[in-house]
DNA sequence: TTGCTCCTCACGTCACGTGAGGTGGC
DNA sequence: TTGCTCCTCACGTCACGTGAGGTGGC
């Protein structure tokens, strides 16, 4: 006997997936995520496990991918696609996801270093008599050291 | 003698900042980044160092902040704001940036683990006779182990 | 003077937000 | 039957994309 999947109306499913009705209907329109079924009256019914799909969409979106691109990555087998090709395609999608994650993490690490340098330099600025202003080109270069400011200080002065 | 800042027309500045004219004009409209000066004919002229500001805006945007929020974080001293208050505000902005970076990196690390689990399980799936299908509830739960699928496989089946 | 760059509208797009007006379901 | 949830338009918004038509600058 096969377990009957537990179905949820769009409101309950939206709460579970921490999203909202409009977004789910828009995903359906784009072919990203269709409800498992509809009632006679047109009500959408979702599987609980579809929450994972919503999460994956959100994750990929936060990495900067457009929804159309995400659809191409994660949508199911084409007509007549074999089992092996199917598994291969999924593996490719997951590896692509992992690659994007690694790239993004490296970029964030670099950013974090830049912010750190700016915070360090800012401490030095506290003991300096100069104030960034148009007349000293906003302390660029630094009047104490003669060197360029950390990028994130230059951005804020 | 104070170094004259090197000024660039919007096209050259856009290339340097790896962005485009429309984005720079939109940033100006929102009060995020104004050109250092304008010519008689209305041409915008930017400082080379403003590239750092563009980069910071992009970085914060990629963390999910709206441009209006970014403006509030990074815009200069209010009228009559003292030097100490000015430096404090910058420090607050940088620390907030760092906090967002740390949160995001933790989230990405968690994602990367989920993708890794899905890739591992997918290898097991290759040696399994079952194929995910509506009739077996898309292999949920797994017919071999009786356990739930990794979230990112559940998302893709 | 020529050609390239820049200017200001202004309409289009993506991923939703937010009602309006009407119907389904325990 | 009542009230809550859902339905389908459809217009609004944010952060730009993409021309149209016209002018500035080495």
């Amino acid at each position: 006997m096969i377990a009957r999947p537990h179905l949820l109306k769009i409101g309950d499913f939206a709460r579970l997936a921490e999203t909202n009705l409009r977004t789910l209907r828009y995903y359906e329109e784009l072919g990203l995520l269709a409800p498992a079924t509809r009632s006679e009256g047109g009500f959408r019914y979702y599987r609980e496990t579809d929450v994972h799909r919503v999460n994956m969409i959100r994750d990929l979106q936060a990495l900067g991918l457009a929804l159309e691109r995400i659809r191409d990555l994660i949508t199911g087998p084409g007509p007549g696609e074999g089992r092996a090709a199917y598994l291969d395609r999924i593996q490719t999608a997951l590896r692509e996801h992992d690659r994007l994650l690694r790239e993004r993490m490296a970029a964030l690490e670099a950013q974090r270093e830049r912010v750190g340098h700016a915070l360090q330099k800012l401490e030095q600025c506290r003991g300096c008599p100069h104030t960034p202003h148009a007349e000293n080109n906003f302390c660029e270069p630094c009047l104490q050291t003669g060197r360029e400011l950390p990028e994130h200080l230059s951005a804020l002065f």
Side-chain angles (χ1 to χ4, degrees), chain A:
Chain A
M1 195 178 171
I2 289 170
R4 282 264 298 292
H6 188 208
L7 296 181
L8 298 172
K9 282 195 288 186
I10 192 168
D12 293 327
F13 180 69
R15 253 183 299 282
L16 193 64
E18 294 176 277
T19 183
N20 59 65
L21 311 202
R22 182 64 169 104
T23 298
L24 291 173
R25 297 200 265 245
Y26 187 59
Y27 285 178
E28 184 181 359
E29 197 182 321
L30 290 192
L32 266 164
L33 170 59
T37 185
R38 290 237 195 180
S39 71
E40 280 285 304
F43 279 39
R44 293 166 178 82
Y45 283 91
Y46 293 86
R47 273 181 285 271
E48 275 185 18
T49 50
D50 284 338
V51 163
H52 302 311
R53 197 170 172 89
V54 173
N55 287 333
M56 188 163 188
I57 293 168
R58 233 200 318 258
D59 288 352
L60 288 166
Q61 227 182 341
L63 290 172
L65 304 206
L67 291 183
E68 206 171 329
R69 172 86 196 286
I70 295 173
R71 181 189 54 196
D72 295 344
L73 263 182
I74 75 176
T75 36
E81 184 184 41
R83 177 191 151 84
Y86 178 43
L87 295 182
D88 282 350
R89 198 168 40 68
I90 288 173
Q91 190 177 49
T92 302
L94 287 171
R95 285 185 173 162
E96 173 71 0
H97 192 164
D98 188 60
R99 193 179 62 76
L100 291 167
L101 285 170
R102 278 181 284 115
E103 281 179 14
R104 185 88 184 102
M105 287 179 69
L108 291 184
E109 191 53 67
Q111 267 186 61
R112 213 160 112 66
E113 275 188 41
R114 285 197 291 273
V115 172
H117 288 150
L119 278 165
Q120 280 188 354
K121 179 70 184 173
L122 191 63
E123 283 311 308
Q124 287 180 31
C125 293
R126 293 204 182 266
C128 165
H130 301 286
T131 296
H133 196 274
E135 279 158 30
N136 60 18
N137 194 32
F138 300 97
C139 286
E140 188 80 71
C142 173
L143 293 155
Q144 301 268 45
T145 64
R147 293 166 58 194
E148 287 184 9
L149 293 175
E151 297 165 44
H152 280 61
L153 266 198
S154 180
L156 289 169
F157 276 170

